[in-house]
Amino acid sequence: MKEKVLEKATELFLTLGFKSVTMDDLAHEMGISKKTIYAHFENKTKLVEESTSHLFCRISTGIDTICALQKNPIEELLDIKKFVMQHLKDEKSSPQYQLQKYYPKIYASIRSKQYEMMQHCVVNNIKKGIAMGIYRENLNIDFVSRIYFSGVISIKDIKLFPPDLFPTNKLQDDFLEYHLRGIITPEGRKILNNLINSNQE
């Protein structure tokens, strides 16, 4: 039952927001009593903490699986973006904003884990791209990986990028293309253009 509560809570938090969803909402949605939820989670903060951790682990495992496929680095980043977007439900409720505002300690902990995971993934991606001749060989890898992480976090700031002006999917696509066009070689550009064109068909 704990796993089912976690799954449903994560889904509701992503769809409606961490602040918006109450324990009553969750109990009603699942057709169970609040007492059943509290048997597994002592309070809402604990539920938020475990659901964010649960989601982070699921996404990390999926990213590791994509990286293990050894695709070319450009395709790898496009696949990771697509996978993450599917699991974050397009973030219609700006869950990161609510998490940061109402659960700052949980947000800080998750952000730290995100940074470690992404740093490892992006550094490997850049090294592979340089070795294959599709990323520029003179790149400062540490700089590029940190700027990329910084951008991923920044585009989720709804004050900087209001959703009515910057729809989430389009914003993610634009940011990734912006990142890639800054680091690819002419050979990489051919691959990127082909992938973008094939995705639009």
Side-chain angles (χ1 to χ4, degrees):
M1 176 54 80
K2 181 176 181 177
E3 193 67 25
K4 285 181 181 175
V5 172
L6 209 49
E7 286 287 342
K8 178 53 75 174
T10 303
E11 180 190 320
L12 289 176
F13 288 146
L14 287 175
T15 309
L16 304 171
F18 289 99
K19 170 71 173 169
S20 310
V21 178
T22 65
M23 296 299 242
D24 282 317
D25 294 332
L26 181 58
H28 178 73
E29 189 72 24
M30 294 189 71
I32 58 175
S33 68
K34 273 203 298 186
K35 191 176 174 184
T36 306
I37 298 171
Y38 284 119
H40 300 287
F41 304 96
E42 57 187 277
N43 53 42
K44 185 181 169 184
T45 301
K46 194 68 184 164
L47 179 59
V48 169
E49 186 180 0
E50 290 203 34
S51 72
T52 52
S53 183
H54 172 73
L55 182 64
F56 174 80
C57 290
R58 195 194 309 164
I59 289 175
S60 297
T61 303
I63 289 174
D64 286 343
T65 303
I66 291 169
C67 291
L69 296 174
Q70 295 293 314
K71 293 184 173 185
N72 86 62
I74 296 173
E75 194 171 357
E76 181 177 272
L77 282 184
L78 290 168
D79 283 355
I80 288 172
K81 183 217 63 167
K82 197 184 301 178
F83 171 79
V84 171
M85 288 300 292
Q86 285 169 348
H87 279 77
L88 293 182
K89 316 277 185 195
D90 295 344
E91 299 186 299
K92 292 183 183 71
S93 62
S94 305
Q96 178 179 281
Y97 174 76
Q98 289 200 9
L99 192 64
Q100 189 175 2
K101 186 173 181 183
Y102 299 105
Y103 300 94
K105 285 184 180 174
I106 297 173
Y107 172 78
S109 169
I110 284 292
R111 183 172 166 169
S112 174
K113 288 181 189 172
Q114 266 183 325
Y115 174 71
E116 285 174 27
M117 184 265 291
M118 277 187 64
Q119 190 69 353
H120 172 73
C121 173
V122 175
V123 165
N124 284 346
N125 180 276
I126 295 169
K127 286 179 178 175
K128 197 161 62 169
I130 291 172
M132 291 174 67
I134 59 177
Y135 293 167
R136 292 186 288 111
E137 61 181 27
N138 63 341
L139 292 174
N140 179 332
I141 296 174
D142 205 33
F143 170 77
V144 172
S145 63
R146 287 164 190 256
I147 279 288
Y148 180 70
F149 176 77
S150 173
V152 165
I153 296 298
S154 294
I155 63 172
K156 291 180 180 177
D157 183 336
I158 58 173
K159 289 179 182 173
L160 265 181
F161 297 98
D164 52 330
L165 294 178
F166 300 94
T168 308
N169 271 330
K170 181 77 168 68
L171 185 58
Q172 295 277 356
D173 287 344
D174 288 347
F175 172 69
L176 184 53
E177 186 176 346
Y178 174 81
H179 165 71
L180 285 168
R181 290 204 184 279
I183 64 174
I184 51 180
T185 60
E187 187 58 37
R189 195 174 305 117
K190 289 178 195 166
I191 294 170
L192 178 61
N193 289 340
N194 283 338
L195 286 167
I196 289 173
N197 290 336
S198 66
N199 285 341
Q200 287 173 346
E201 286 170 3

